[in-house]
Amino acid sequence: MTTVDDRSVAEAEIGRDRRRKEDARLITGRTRWTDNITLTGMVHLAMVRSPFAHARVTGIDTAAAKQSAGVVAVLTGPELGEEMGVLINAWPITPDQVTPVHTPMAVDRVAFAGEIVAVVAARSAAEARDAAELVDVDYEELPAAVDLKEAAAATPENGGALAHPDLGTNKSALWIFDSAEAGTGSDVEEAIARARTDGVVIEREFRQQRLIPAFMEPRSTVVDPTGEQLTVWSATQIPHVLRFAMAATLGIPESKLRVIAPDVGGGFGGKLQLTPEEWLTVALARRLGKPVKYTETRSESLMSAHHGRDQWQKLTLSATKDGTVTGLKVELLADLGAYVAIVGGGVPVLGAFMFNAIYKFPAYHFACQTVLTNKTWTDAYRGAGRPEATFGIERMMDELAAELGVDPLEVREKNWIKHEEFPFTTVAGLEYDSGHYEAATERAKELFEYDDLRSEQRRRRESGDPVQLGIGVSTFTEMCGLAPSRVLGSLDYGAGGWESAQVRMLATGTVEVVTGASAHGQGHETAFSQIVADRLGVPFEDVEVLHGDTQVAPKGLDTYGSRSLVVGGEALVKASDKVIEKAKPVAAHLLEASVEDLEFRAGTFSVRGTEAGISIQDVAGAVFAAHNLPDGMEPSLDSDATYDPVNFSYPHGTHLCAVEVDTETGQVRMRKYVACDDVGTIINPLIVSGQVHGGLVQGIAQALWEEAVFDESGTLVSGSFVDYLLPTAADTISFDLDHTVTPSLTNSLGTKGVGEAGTIASTPAVVNAVVDALRPLGVEDVTMPCTPQRVWQAIHGAGSGGSTPGAAMPHFESGGAAGNQEQPGASSTEGAGQ
Amino acid sequence: MTRIKLTVDGMAVSDDVEPRTLLVHYLREQLGKTGTVVGCDTSNCGACTVHLDGQSVKSCNVLAVQADGGEITTIEGLADTVPDRADGQLHPVQEAFRECHGLQCGYCTPGMIMASVDLLNRNPHPTEQEIREGLEGNLCRCTGYHNIVRAVQYAAEGEQP
Ligand code: FES
Ligand code: FES
């Protein structure tokens, strides 16, 4: 059997920086975005959305809209009724989770600004939009639960605003993990009590601001009801999950549904959703019997596609005086927005396994209270729970280092798992299979010229330079390859975590590979071709990867959580191996040899000790003809495999960031960024570095620029690209990347996943750098995004910089230099305790 | 309705358009030039960038009637502008984006390539900073711009980045 290792380096596809197969179409405009699809007789939709965060809908007058030119239909929630189905949460994190009913269109009450109250169908998109303007809706405003902390504290008794008054509470679920209870560690309260008398206790509260995924392709859905199957094209990451959920909630047999994700322009978790717009497009197509298209505008996308992050994190870390951490206590408030989305409260729960990061903490307690508010719903955004956790712990490790007056890398090294200690079972109960934190850190320091930059920092500090240098460290790990189905089951997630693949040998020797993963920019067609080309020993060009259509790839669980390569790639390997096993007896038959004497190498079966051989592609031709096969053999080499991972994979890395902070203006300038990641075996280094670059900028953007800001009435203020600051080329710098490699031991390729690494690692690296620059000035935190104004305020004693002007979620009332930090004893993260 | 006449990717066209029709909608919906895409409604993203009389414009920021009499090049016709082009040959900037992995999902790419071509026409040997500032009007959410900058450098130098 061929394995990667026994092929010569020159011919190995794995590890080669192949240019992408996808690009030929994308760079010439030969694309199939959903909005490009036009079908004869197609009708276009426009949505009428609530301008209010919370209101009763007292009347909708659609008469004028119905008279408007080109209008086919105008429908409201009560008119569509059950036809529109319902949207589901796939992960109730506790048995008693409070989950509001989420209909695709409001029936009598809206719970966030942007919620749909009526839908217009017309001959053209412009006519639909014109008519939508004419729909007259009467609202009776209700008090809106906007601020996360206030929402968590609201009760019917204290008169606080409730996002859904009928539920009687804004608290959705409280999810707790305790290492003493789970038997994975000791009691955290004891550890903290001990450290209070004889050690160090660090207590901090951090804000994870709300972000918007802001994929570049607005979401779009086309539904064609004119065939036997209802065909749905959607700009989604999850065509298979979508088909399942539509079948389950719309009363359409699954076999009558075909879902296609054609070219999809980015997702980052933002297209891992079951959306009201998709459900309504299906409902209208069924009702009208015509193909229907809906494409959102960017403003609609920013307002109504789900947001990410949005937590308050209250952290308590205990350590001995030499810097050995003895316990970590995490209390989170997580904002769900108006509804519990498909993953919903599961996002912060994923973070529960990552707060302990790469460290050997003996005691750990995690509690997360999810909270409903009258804002856009939240769900996965690149990293989903893990960036939040990594930010929290990596900021805390820097705070511990500062408290002890030691280098932040030293305190990390004291606590991290040494390479000889793998496999290591963590205090959160996961088994890390492999890693080498020392090596990645060493390499990153070298690339960064760490000691030189520290000297420069010292010089600038001593000379009182108005421009101070800050150095930020982030030694992260993450759990990828979502996920072992049994683990998902134990967490009450509604599905498994396997992935499926098919390998079809065509008569002419080319190979069709079908994957249940659904790419939207990741380069699967290229990387998966490399894997199969290597495994089968066929040319890279002869492999065609098919995906994203339930008719072509009937089984799959799609793309998110850095799972495609780790889980989907392994399924490909298994399917390829089955092809080889099936081909072997045919080859033996044709070579008139016994199966035992055959070896398979570089695509050829040969008889040991002879010159005789036949390529697998020729075997495929012989099987197609089926003239001369072993007796009783089925004339097919086609194979499929479904792989359920046995563990997560755990990429890690050391990221170092240098920033220059102008203490007179508060301006932060990126000077240097080094990332040394260990993502296990690398299939295509070009694609891997692209993933890291893009991830880095998304994480850096959280640290410095991006925030979804709501005013106190619950209106999204940052509702266009004018106000929501996506970084441009001019804001960013070039990065220095390298890799160390410890292969994953739980899959045969040794891959670990890379899609989210950059985003997870970079946010704390940047904020740590900003704080590091300012620490001599008494600053110990700057609230994200670290805008010049916040940095300036932090320097001038106004704490961590205060809230974004117009923000509905005021950060801490600034009170002297302690700023962001609350008074000891006060519990501002109310409800997240035990 | 207003009658407009223009050339799009080398093809002479003459159509009636509503005065409010944006150039990008005319290209996509009336001409089927779906290679050019829409990413925003505030003229911030640059995904819709095309060339009008040799200069890059955001086609969501131009009315179709304003392009009357003009010559438009979209991503679909860009390669045809290469002099003495061999069959299947790409424009050097398209080739550079492929070579340097300057795209992932590819949604920003048509606009990014058209903007880069214009940038290089105006400044054939830009510095990294000039490239970054020159592409400021084009957003990409996937690449972090690192390889887009490499691609423009590669196209400028005609050699390995
Ligand atoms: S669509 Fe033209 S700039 Fe965004
Ligand atoms: S490649 Fe996806 S937005 Fe640029």
Side-chain angles (χ1 to χ4, degrees), chain A residues 111 194 199 217 270 314 334 372 423 435 464 523 535 579 644 743:
Chain A
R194 220 169 29 245
E217 180 210 14
K314 190 175 167 194
L372 293 157
R535 207 75 188 176
V579 169
D644 198 343

Side-chain angles (χ1 to χ4, degrees), chain A residues 19-20 298-299 706 727, chain B residues 28 39 41 99 104 141 145:
Chain A
R19 300 307 183 264
R20 297 199 321 169
R298 176 57 59 182
S299 320
E706 289 180 24
Chain B
R28 287 178 57 79
D41 43 14
E99 180 61 27
Q104 290 178 28
R141 191 57 155 167
Y145 303 105

Side-chain angles (χ1 to χ4, degrees), chain A residues 4-293:
Chain A
V4 184
D5 313 324
D6 61 35
R7 307 275 305 274
S8 77
V9 176
E11 54 182 2
E13 280 295 337
I14 288 178
R16 196 164 162 185
D17 60 350
R18 281 281 187 189
R19 300 307 183 264
R20 297 199 321 169
K21 290 185 168 182
E22 294 79 347
D23 294 356
R25 291 190 306 107
L26 298 173
I27 56 180
T28 52
R30 205 157 34 87
T31 42
R32 276 173 307 159
W33 312 111
T34 303
D35 188 56
N36 290 1
I37 295 167
T38 302
L39 303 172
T40 305
M42 193 167 80
V43 164
H44 299 257
L45 301 185
M47 305 297 171
V48 180
R49 295 177 186 273
S50 166
F52 299 109
H54 197 189
R56 202 160 290 293
V57 180
T58 51
I60 304 182
D61 181 356
T62 59
K66 282 180 175 150
Q67 299 300 313
S68 188
V71 169
V72 179
V74 183
L75 289 160
T76 65
E79 285 166 348
L80 262 184
E82 298 208 332
E83 250 176 276
M84 62 182 167
V86 67
L87 298 163
I88 49 173
N89 162 241
W91 192 351
I93 55 174
T94 59
D96 59 352
Q97 173 176 290
V98 173
T99 312
V101 174
H102 190 186
T103 53
M105 188 153 54
V107 178
D108 55 6
R109 187 175 58 88
V110 290
F112 73 98
E115 186 157 8
I116 300 165
V117 291
V119 52
V120 178
R123 209 175 45 172
S124 72
E127 285 168 323
R129 258 176 234 144
D130 286 346
E133 299 275 317
L134 301 174
V135 174
D136 194 11
V137 187
D138 290 325
Y139 296 96
E140 186 187 300
E141 260 195 278
L142 296 168
V146 180
D147 177 74
L148 171 53
K149 286 187 177 180
E150 284 172 19
T155 62
E157 292 73 40
N158 67 20
L162 296 179
H164 298 275
D166 51 319
L167 299 178
T169 179
N170 290 325
K171 291 185 181 181
S172 177
L174 175 63
W175 194 93
I176 294 172
F177 175 88
D178 187 273
S179 62
E181 266 168 43
T184 55
S186 48
D187 183 61
V188 87
E189 295 299 343
E190 266 171 39
I192 294 169
R194 220 169 29 245
R196 283 201 199 281
T197 55
D198 183 31
V200 188
V201 178
I202 312 278
E203 294 175 275
R204 292 287 184 275
E205 184 156 33
F206 298 126
R207 176 79 179 120
Q208 273 284 327
Q209 81 270 36
R210 187 179 265 250
L211 300 178
I212 306 182
F215 35 76
M216 287 310 298
E217 180 210 14
R219 297 171 307 163
S220 178
T221 303
V222 172
V223 179
D224 184 1
T226 63
E228 258 320 301
Q229 281 185 316
L230 190 81
T231 306
V232 179
W233 289 264
S234 196
T236 181
Q237 293 174 228
I238 50 166
H240 296 92
V241 176
L242 187 58
R243 176 163 93 148
F244 168 83
M246 281 186 169
T249 65
L250 284 166
I252 308 170
E254 195 176 349
S255 54
K256 289 284 187 193
L257 268 168
R258 174 184 182 189
V259 178
I260 303 171
D263 288 337
V264 177
F268 318 110
K271 289 175 181 165
L272 193 192
Q273 196 53 267
L274 309 170
T275 72
E277 293 84 357
E278 287 168 328
W279 260 241
L280 290 175
T281 310
V282 168
L284 267 286
R286 291 173 86 195
R287 181 177 269 231
L288 301 174
K290 284 281 185 192
V292 172
K293 183 199 285 192

Side-chain angles (χ1 to χ4, degrees), chain A residues 409-456:
Chain A
L409 282 170
E410 192 183 315
V411 105
R412 285 174 171 79
E413 178 153 22
K414 192 171 231 15
N415 288 285
W416 74 39
I417 303 156
K418 306 289 178 292
H419 70 274
E420 65 273 11
E421 291 171 327
F422 287 94
F424 185 90
T425 302
T426 73
V427 74
L430 296 180
E431 187 182 284
Y432 293 0
D433 56 340
S434 68
H436 201 316
Y437 309 139
E438 300 93 320
T441 302
E442 212 35 59
R443 181 66 190 126
K445 277 176 80 174
E446 202 181 320
L447 266 179
F448 192 68
E449 295 170 335
Y450 188 79
D451 297 331
D452 293 351
L453 282 169
R454 281 281 180 216
S455 314
E456 180 184 334

